[in-house]
Amino acid sequence: MEIDTQLETERLLLRMPRPGDGTVVNKAIKSSVAELKPWLGFVQELPTVEETELNTREAHIKFLQRESLRYLIFLKETNEFVGSTGFHNIHWSIPKLEIGYWIDTSYSGNGYMTEAVGKLTDFALDQLRCRRIEIRCDRENDRSRAVPERLGFSLEGILKNEDLSIDGSKITDTCVYAKV
């Protein structure tokens, strides 16, 4: 299946990770670690630039294999790295998928993630012909929950006592948002 490796919105460029992207991604992780750490496993121990580079190269390969489709987000005018989003838990036979995302804290509050996830949602429905798109997030992660809510996703349910917190200290609830 041909899948666009680059997507554009009014203000953003979303593109497949490439070798060499690890430095800019790692810098964003480091500057946002306090905000990301409660929610994301990959920042529990701050990755080195080399580890982040390896991760972005693996994401590039998985994109080509259509296992997961990560897009890095850049401002169109300045080419500054804003964050990451993409499709995972893809089931091509249905087809359905899940959208995940994180943003460099210095760019939050500008609507960039809503714009990027909105573009991915339209792309999944129109180009990939998905029958179901999910966004799952911790019930307590208000900023993450705001993205699907602004985009008109339906809150299908809250899975109580469904997961452990990233640090393993408590049981958490997971919100399941969907667009069909």
Side-chain angles (χ1 to χ4, degrees), residues 66-67 88-98 130-132:
R66 307 303 189 240
E67 290 178 26
H88 57 278
N89 294 330
I90 301 170
H91 296 272
W92 291 113
S93 60
I94 294 176
K96 72 174 187 171
L97 47 75
E98 188 176 332
C130 287
R131 305 291 300 234
R132 178 178 179 83

Side-chain angles (χ1 to χ4, degrees), residues 3-178:
I3 296 177
D4 293 341
T5 59
Q6 186 169 297
L7 306 169
E8 290 187 36
T9 69
E10 182 180 332
R11 303 179 295 168
L12 305 172
L13 173 69
L14 288 69
R15 69 162 173 79
M16 173 180 64
R18 298 181 197 146
D21 285 332
T23 301
V24 68
V25 173
N26 187 267
K27 182 180 175 188
I29 293 168
K30 284 182 179 175
S31 71
S32 306
V33 69
E35 292 80 9
L36 299 176
K37 193 169 185 172
W39 316 115
L40 298 173
F42 70 88
V43 293
Q44 296 311 293
E45 290 188 33
L46 202 57
T48 65
V49 173
E50 293 78 15
E51 290 169 332
T52 306
E53 176 64 25
L54 180 59
N55 180 275
T56 58
R57 287 174 184 240
E58 289 170 351
H60 178 88
I61 292 167
K62 287 180 180 181
F63 193 108
L64 296 174
Q65 293 173 330
R66 307 303 189 240
E67 290 178 26
S68 67
L69 305 172
R70 184 184 307 173
Y71 289 88
L72 302 182
I73 307 165
F74 297 88
L75 295 179
K76 276 171 51 172
E77 285 189 16
T78 62
N79 203 37
E80 294 171 77
F81 177 73
V82 172
S84 180
T85 187
F87 304 127
H88 57 278
N89 294 330
I90 301 170
H91 296 272
W92 291 113
S93 60
I94 294 176
K96 72 174 187 171
L97 47 75
E98 188 176 332
I99 297 177
Y101 45 87
W102 65 270
I103 191 166
D104 181 328
T105 305
S106 61
Y107 294 98
S108 64
N110 295 295
Y112 295 135
M113 194 53 69
T114 301
E115 187 174 327
V117 172
K119 180 65 176 184
L120 282 189
T121 300
D122 292 344
F123 179 68
L125 292 170
D126 300 337
Q127 302 299 315
L128 302 181
R129 306 241 184 262
C130 287
R131 305 291 300 234
R132 178 178 179 83
I133 302 166
E134 288 185 1
I135 294 177
R136 292 175 175 243
C137 54
D138 190 293
R139 181 182 198 164
E140 295 180 8
N141 191 342
D142 294 332
R143 297 186 102 177
S144 185
R145 290 182 66 180
V147 173
E149 289 171 1
R150 281 193 292 267
L151 293 170
F153 278 69
S154 297
L155 176 60
E156 291 189 332
I158 298 174
L159 306 176
K160 296 182 180 180
N161 295 337
E162 192 267 339
D163 204 357
L164 282 176
S165 59
I166 292 298
D167 65 5
S169 67
K170 63 181 180 176
I171 295 176
T172 61
D173 300 340
T174 301
C175 294
V176 179
Y177 292 90

